[in-house]
Amino acid sequence: MHQNEQRTLAVIGTGVIGNGWITRFLANGYDVVAFDPAVGAEARTHQNVERAWISMEEIGLAEGAARNRITFVRTIEEAVKDAYVIQENVPEREDLKKKVLEEIDLHANPEAIIGSSTSGIKPSTLQENLTHPERLIVAHPFNPVNILPLVELVGGQGTEQTTIDRAVEFYESIQMKPLVVQREIEGHVADRLMEALWREALHLVNDGIATTEEVDAAIVYGAGLRWAQMGPFLTFHLAGGEKGMRHMLEQFGPALKLPWTKLEAPELTDELKEKVVEGCESHAGDMSVSKMEDRRDEFLVKLIDLVEDYWPESRSLAKSGQ
């Protein structure tokens, strides 16, 4: 693949996640070719990139980065034929993803990396009907993609190690932190952890123990502040005092057998839905979703800088993940 082709990336599907990828790619100096059959997709993308560009300027733009280095095309073939990396972001329906990936596989450059943003489907499932399954991986990001650095890389049964190695190198080059998941599993790693907390939060609201605002406050002013720097394991390591995790497990390990948590989600009744919806709307007050997103993005940019200052050892996840 020629050097100029390595500066071209393709994005298939330009919803929230696809537009996040486009913004990140453009901010890192790439040309982007996009495809989305939805009416108005191109206009929405330009609006999203324009709005997110303030955060990208705060983070720091690569040499040559420009908002206008994006081209929308009418077919998947046009989008992928010259791309070095192809990011698929169509809705989370297995049949649709497999159909789109088959078309991408048919027309993609033989050396291209094909990354699916799927949040839950295993890569081996997505590879089933591909002619070249060796170049497909899951590359699952987190919203807002243009700011949050984590990307979970998961290979399937047909994925070659060289594809994973090249993917690590590419995603690190666009200021991301690739986490190579050793064994594929539905939901990968981060979403499984978030879903567990989400299920428990729904039980607390459903049982009248806490409101949505109180649950959020419990995370924001407690665990969330610690997790931004350390995560659950090192947080509990410190809970053990000078002897660390060893003492923590000896002292608090037996509590894991107590019925504190509920592993299954509560039934999503109309009553529970209304509790959650009304709670969130009350908590948000008069602030629009777009305004909340702007505040979130500004906060995340500052928080990421702080995390890097206080935890520089975490700068590369890939070395320990492979």
Side-chain angles (χ1 to χ4, degrees), residues 228-263:
Q229 185 186 17
M230 294 188 177
F233 280 105
L234 282 185
T235 294
F236 282 128
H237 181 60
L238 296 189
E242 289 301 319
K243 294 184 179 179
M245 181 61 81
R246 187 174 302 280
H247 178 66
M248 187 273 171
L249 290 175
E250 291 172 356
Q251 184 172 359
F252 298 107
L256 293 172
K257 295 292 185 180
L258 298 176
W260 284 1
T261 57
K262 301 178 180 181
L263 295 179

Side-chain angles (χ1 to χ4, degrees), residues 12 33-36 72-80 103 107:
I12 308 300
V33 184
F35 169 80
D36 192 316
F72 267 76
V73 293
R74 296 186 178 182
T75 65
I76 288 177
E77 180 180 1
E78 289 179 89
V80 306
E103 189 168 356
H107 299 295

Side-chain angles (χ1 to χ4, degrees), residues 96-136:
L96 176 61
K97 281 192 177 291
K98 291 174 83 168
K99 180 181 178 182
V100 169
L101 287 168
E102 285 173 38
E103 189 168 356
I104 291 172
D105 183 53
L106 179 65
H107 299 295
N109 188 302
E111 298 178 40
I113 298 168
I114 303 173
S116 174
S117 295
T118 177
S119 59
I121 305 172
K122 295 197 292 187
S124 289
T125 300
L126 298 176
Q127 290 174 334
E128 286 174 351
N129 300 321
L130 301 187
T131 304
H132 297 286
E134 68 278 357
R135 58 185 177 175
L136 176 95

Side-chain angles (χ1 to χ4, degrees), residues 12-72:
I12 308 300
T14 60
V16 172
I17 299 301
N19 283 329
W21 279 119
I22 288 170
T23 303
R24 181 177 280 274
F25 292 160
L26 292 174
N28 280 275
Y30 284 90
D31 292 306
V32 177
V33 184
F35 169 80
D36 192 316
V39 176
E42 183 173 0
R44 284 191 294 272
T45 290
H46 286 296
Q47 290 170 0
N48 276 272
V49 171
E50 185 75 25
R51 190 167 148 221
W53 206 252
I54 297 173
S55 295
M56 305 318 294
E57 289 175 329
E58 184 72 20
I59 293 170
L61 300 175
E63 183 178 352
R67 285 165 286 186
N68 62 358
R69 292 178 64 177
I70 178 170
T71 304
F72 267 76

Side-chain angles (χ1 to χ4, degrees), residues 196 225 230 269 279:
L225 289 172
M230 294 188 177
T269 61

